[in-house]
Amino acid sequence: APAAAALSIGWLMASNVVFWFLTIQPTVTMSLYVPRYVPGLPVSTTYWVTTVIVLALQMRVTAMARGAAGHLRFLFVGIWCMLASFCAMAAAGTHAGPVLVAAVLLALSQVFYGPSFDVLVTGDARARGLDTGQALARQHFWQNLGMMTGSLAAGALFDLGLYWGWP
């Protein structure tokens, strides 16, 4: 519990908004990017890759985190996977390989970050004597706020990239 106690719930919620704001960026962008720059790759491929990885690994990976410190480490692994996903997409050009690597890394970021975040929020709520259901509901509000604004930004950035001629 010391690792969880070191985190304020405000920091956790802010990190959640930022994580999902950034995570939705490649998710939206891949569906716009693939048909325009990698037309040989079916547009749904990145969704299938991401979904299968999340479904296959999430429960197994989450079980490996032990205690709050383990879940906190998993948050950082998820953030690093997301950063690597962005780098792969930045290098993709017209090649399918980096786009698929980006999809795998994006899925891994969600596998590590999402459940561990929920565990830390639940642990914080229990430690404070708060209703865990209400704490998770607040967490999902901030997650959805990040995804909604991230989707809007992703579309706007993609359109801006087209305008400037940048993939």
Side-chain angles (χ1 to χ4, degrees):
L7 297 173
S8 74
I9 196 68
W11 181 90
L12 280 174
M13 294 304 172
S15 74
N16 197 35
V17 171
V18 171
F19 179 83
W20 291 105
F21 176 88
L22 293 174
T23 297
I24 198 68
Q25 299 286 324
T27 303
V28 170
T29 303
M30 284 176 192
S31 67
L32 300 170
Y33 186 93
V34 167
R36 181 151 184 105
Y37 296 104
V38 193
L41 184 66
V43 72
S44 64
T45 303
T46 57
Y47 289 109
W48 280 104
V49 167
T50 302
T51 302
V52 167
I53 289 172
V54 169
L55 288 174
L57 297 180
Q58 194 161 50
M59 296 300 285
R60 289 179 179 96
V61 169
T62 303
M64 294 186 321
R66 298 287 184 240
H71 287 289
L72 184 58
R73 278 191 297 278
F74 274 23
L75 289 183
F76 290 110
V77 170
I79 291 166
W80 281 106
C81 286
M82 182 178 48
L83 175 64
S85 175
F86 271 74
C87 292
M89 278 302 293
T94 59
H95 305 288
V99 173
L100 293 174
V101 168
V104 168
L105 290 166
L106 182 64
L108 290 174
S109 74
Q110 294 173 34
V111 164
F112 281 97
Y113 187 93
S116 288
F117 187 86
D118 289 346
V119 168
L120 290 171
V121 167
T122 302
D124 181 75
R126 284 188 184 133
R128 296 171 186 250
L130 302 174
D131 182 291
T132 56
Q134 287 181 355
L136 286 174
R138 271 193 304 279
Q139 177 268 10
H140 284 284
F141 168 82
W142 293 110
Q143 176 179 328
N144 289 325
L145 178 65
M147 292 182 88
M148 180 184 68
T149 57
S151 295
L152 179 64
L157 289 172
F158 185 81
D159 290 343
L160 193 58
L162 287 177
Y163 178 76
W164 286 337
W166 296 346

